[in-house]
Amino acid sequence: MRIQIHKIYFLIIFLPFFSDCYFNPVVNGILNPLEEENNNSTLGLLGLGSSAIIVTGQLKSIGAGVSGATVRIAGSTDVTNQSITDIAGRFKLIGTTGSMTLEVNHISTTFTIEILVTPPIVTLVSISNSSYTVMNLEAYSSSIGNPTFFDLTSSMPFEGLNVNDNTTYTGTIGSGFIFNFSENLALPSNSNAWGNENFAISPSLTFMSTSVVNKNVTISVDSGTYAMQTYTLTLLPGIISESGKSIKPTVIRFQVSYLP
């Protein structure tokens, strides 16, 4: 009987200690080092740690990625914090939250891009040269490494296209839609159904056939379904590369002001 009483005292003395361990940051760090490491990673992704914010986007002109352009933060003296755009026009810079001004130099043409960074969202405020557009802006923590992107490198139609005469019609949408990507596409089992599911257009058009070859998608459009109005074409995440990456939803607005 005396032994049983000693056991009860032992539990009473030590049970509060262990019950408080999880809530004690020092003890918890010793008992759960992996959990502490995961917490730090989470804080970094939320922008609360020491990880840098990476701002990225695609610079385009007439629907095609602008490669070889230099993008840097306007007024910055840090010559290392600049990016040379790739074939898809993709750039990556170390940025900050709030308003940012980017300076772009492309074949001796210099202009600025005003953006607002609220990670993970980056909003385009203005661009000083109407010959260029910037798409797929976003921000992420450098703690996730250096991710690669599956991008639309060029397209017809493209954002801002205005079909306003016979020459424009013939050279653009008259032969259907064409899309080029930065990687080979995963081949769908049914190309026509896949095209209708992943290239959503409003107002609707009739897609007659879809062809997928390597990095390219060609969609034949029934020209009789065109009308003189503004169309919104959205590329959806079901467009996947061979390596398993999905395209980021991409919106292309174009206007038809002329029909032959």
Side-chain angles (χ1 to χ4, degrees):
M1 186 68 178
R2 186 178 297 116
I3 294 173
Q4 292 175 348
I5 292 173
H6 287 168
K7 287 181 178 179
I8 293 172
Y9 286 158
F10 178 84
L11 290 173
I12 292 173
I13 292 170
F14 285 92
L15 185 58
F17 172 79
F18 284 108
S19 66
D20 289 339
C21 282
Y22 187 84
F23 303 99
N24 186 315
V26 177
V27 177
N28 188 47
I30 297 172
L31 298 179
N32 301 287
L34 181 59
E35 181 173 343
E36 185 73 16
E37 181 180 343
N38 290 337
N39 286 341
N40 289 336
S41 297
T42 302
L43 289 174
L45 288 171
L46 292 173
L48 301 176
S50 58
S51 299
I53 296 172
I54 307 300
V55 175
T56 186
Q58 284 181 268
L59 184 66
K60 291 192 172 185
S61 179
I62 318 178
V66 176
S67 63
T70 301
V71 184
R72 66 183 187 89
I73 299 175
S76 173
T77 58
D78 184 0
V79 295
T80 64
N81 189 23
Q82 63 179 20
S83 179
I84 307 299
T85 55
D86 63 13
I87 190 173
R90 173 72 61 179
F91 63 86
K92 298 176 185 177
L93 288 171
I94 299 174
T96 58
T97 57
S99 298
M100 283 182 63
T101 301
L102 307 181
E103 184 178 277
V104 182
N105 188 296
H106 178 233
I107 315 178
S108 300
T109 298
T110 301
F111 59 96
T112 58
I113 300 171
E114 302 281 346
I115 57 176
L116 180 63
V117 182
T118 53
I121 297 170
V122 179
T123 305
L124 174 64
V125 177
S126 67
I127 185 166
S128 66
N129 190 323
S130 60
S131 297
Y132 297 84
T133 57
V134 62
M135 304 178 70
N136 292 331
L137 288 162
E138 62 181 284
Y140 61 91
S141 169
S142 62
S143 64
I144 69 174
N146 185 27
T148 57
F149 294 85
F150 177 45
D151 289 323
L152 177 68
T153 59
S154 64
S155 67
M156 184 61 72
F158 55 84
E159 174 69 15
L161 170 66
N162 184 9
V163 180
N164 53 18
D165 57 39
N166 188 65
T167 300
T168 306
Y169 176 86
T170 303
T172 58
I173 62 173
S175 57
F177 296 167
I178 301 173
F179 306 90
N180 302 302
F181 296 87
S182 59
E183 295 182 26
N184 285 348
L185 292 129
L187 293 178
S189 57
N190 186 321
S191 296
N192 292 337
W194 175 85
N196 281 294
E197 291 170 0
N198 291 288
F199 294 81
I201 189 159
S202 178
S204 64
L205 291 173
T206 300
F207 293 167
M208 296 189 296
S209 64
T210 299
S211 171
V212 182
V213 179
N214 297 327
K215 300 179 180 180
N216 309 312
V217 174
T218 303
I219 300 177
S220 177
V221 179
D222 181 355
S223 61
T225 59
Y226 283 123
M228 288 189 288
Q229 56 193 350
T230 299
Y231 289 90
T232 300
L233 174 66
T234 306
L235 279 61
L236 299 172
I239 302 170
I240 301 172
S241 70
E242 281 184 347
S243 62
K245 294 192 284 288
S246 292
I247 196 79
K248 181 179 179 181
T250 301
V251 177
I252 297 171
R253 289 167 290 263
F254 66 99
Q255 183 175 353
V256 178
S257 305
Y258 168 89
L259 289 173

